[in-house]
Amino acid sequence: MGIRIDDIRIHRIIAPLKKPFHTKLQHVQERESLIIEVRSGDYRGYGEGVAFTTPWYTEETVKTTLFVLRHVLIPRVKGEVMTHPRNMYELYETVKGNRMAKAALDMACWDLYAKVKGVPLYELYGGKKEAIDAGVVVTWKTEEELREEVQKAVDAGYRRVKIKIHRQIDPQTIENVIREFPETYFFADANGSFTKQSIEKLQAFDAIGLRLIEQPFKKEDRILYEEWTPQFQTPIGLDESIASYEDAEWAIQSGAADCIVLKPGRVGGPTVSLDIIQRAKEASIDLWIGGMIEFGVSKAHNIALATLEGVTLPGDFSASNHFWERDIITPGLTLCDGQMRVLNEPGIGVTIDEDVLKQYRVDTY
Ligand code: OSB
Ligand code: MG
């Protein structure tokens, strides 16, 4: 028996960050996002649109995802009967690109499906872990601030800390700080800042004992990845480069990546993510799940995926209190011994805090 999609709502929200997120690409002080709600009878499935207000990180934006959801994707699924979330995805799979819009809807369909079945999402996915490793990102301007931020992260219990870097900074700054925390796993994320002309600088970063360097070159620089990834001693993880299953396939087959950074909200949602995780597992390539300054709805979806065996390294899983004074879910996500407990309720396993949603909401469509 199928699940009729009776109605779909989109809430556009804006929330201030506790501390500005400062990177070379953008200074983020508040986060605009979409929360999508798919209804069937009394059941509600939730998804999150994770594009930003402007195209500084991905081509898609809040406005483009909103347009595509309202005028292209939702008309294809509203009133239809879901026998499985993959069947819903097939209704709009041929729409070109716009994977962040697709992901928001796909998340909501998976959550709804699991709730109607009365099972936690991770169980539906076949996940086995009871807790997943947490990880946090730090942005910084001075060595002193970097040290302080890392110390705060370590004190909060994070065992994996990701540091934002770019080609103009001195690798010595990073080395000085990470040496002081020998127990911590340090990743560095360059967000595509390095070029063919700055390979030597990247080689210097390669020598400081990082556990991973994320997206050193632009996503378009496939030739550089294919040539250079095998030559670094630090594993290279591809983030922006992985926007689809086919991108993951290229990264695996060409040797351009030692590790896949999977952002479910960017590749099209759980349906595509499950396929990528399966493929990475078959290829025995490392994979971790990344975030993009997300609220608890997306994080809860990501936690469910992270329980799968093919997810081999700690991802961008920070507690609700890292970015937010108040998250839109209740209870908020917390750390326990450097880990996050898997949510054992039907669907994503968290409830929307209607008061907070109302406080952040600027529009409903
Ligand atoms: O490149 O991983 C990235 C945040 C926004 C956009 C891009 C990225 C990030 C992060 C933060 O590094 C990850 C998180 O949400 O914890
Ligand atoms: Mg990244």
Side-chain angles (χ1 to χ4, degrees), residues 21 28 31 52 56-57 135-137 160 162 164 189 191 214 239-240 261 263 266 288 290-294 299 316-318 322-323:
F21 187 83
V28 184
R31 181 63 158 115
F52 289 92
W56 65 269
Y57 180 62
V136 74
V137 61
R160 188 226 70 164
K162 178 169 122 178
K164 289 288 190 182
D189 187 0
N191 286 112
E214 181 178 341
D239 175 12
E240 286 91 322
V261 180
K263 299 237 171 117
R266 188 186 54 214
W288 53 272
M292 304 171 49
I293 317 179
E294 290 156 16
K299 287 273 187 232
D316 292 328
F317 285 105
S318 48
H322 178 69
F323 289 121

Side-chain angles (χ1 to χ4, degrees), residues 18 141 277 323 335-336:
K18 271 169 82 173
K141 284 182 183 154
I277 294 168
F323 289 121
L335 290 203
C336 182

